[in-house]
Amino acid sequence: MNCKQFKKCGACRFQGDQYEEQLIYKQNILNNLLSVFCKVNDIIPMDNPYHYRNKVQCAYFYDFKKKKCTSGVYQSNSKRIIPIDYCLLDDKTADDIIISIRKLADDFRLKPYHI
């Protein structure tokens, strides 16, 4: 399962790698950083490596062409917002709340702050 926005967004930089490869990479980082101080336990893999992220950040903006509020995430190292509805890492309920807020903003004709 790959995200359509993965290369633009940058929020999940390991999305293109197999989950097992991600674990090996992360284990090596931990070993290199911490093994001089203590014994490093092996990473315990998740049963489902999706929809685990509880801290969710999004940015709202007004799409002047579509004349509606939309939301997304900031592209890595930029102020550009990549529109997304659902993120494979975010908790599904959080994504639903983000979409509900966006709909409410349109219903009440509220426009997000625009620089």
Side-chain angles (χ1 to χ4, degrees), residues 23-113:
L23 294 176
I24 291 167
Y25 177 78
K26 292 173 183 179
Q27 185 71 52
N28 287 336
I29 289 174
L30 288 174
N31 289 339
N32 291 337
L33 290 172
L34 301 174
S35 63
V36 295
F37 304 109
C38 62
K39 179 186 179 298
V40 179
N41 294 331
D42 289 340
I43 293 175
I44 300 170
M46 293 187 278
D47 294 332
N48 177 18
Y50 300 102
H51 305 292
Y52 63 86
R53 190 176 281 166
N54 292 314
K55 180 184 177 189
V56 176
Q57 296 178 335
C58 80
Y60 291 91
F61 66 99
Y62 190 76
D63 188 330
F64 288 97
K65 290 180 183 176
K66 295 180 181 179
K67 297 189 185 309
K68 66 178 194 168
C69 180
T70 191
S71 60
V73 295
Y74 285 105
Q75 185 176 23
S76 292
N77 301 315
S78 120
K79 292 184 180 180
R80 182 170 180 250
I81 299 172
I82 306 298
I84 62 167
D85 287 332
Y86 290 96
C87 173
L88 292 173
L89 302 185
D90 292 350
D91 181 87
K92 290 179 183 179
T93 304
D95 282 340
D96 291 340
I97 291 169
I98 290 167
I99 290 173
S100 296
I101 292 170
R102 195 172 67 202
K103 184 177 177 333
L104 285 169
D106 283 338
D107 290 348
F108 287 100
R109 296 186 179 134
L110 300 172
K111 293 181 183 174
Y113 176 75

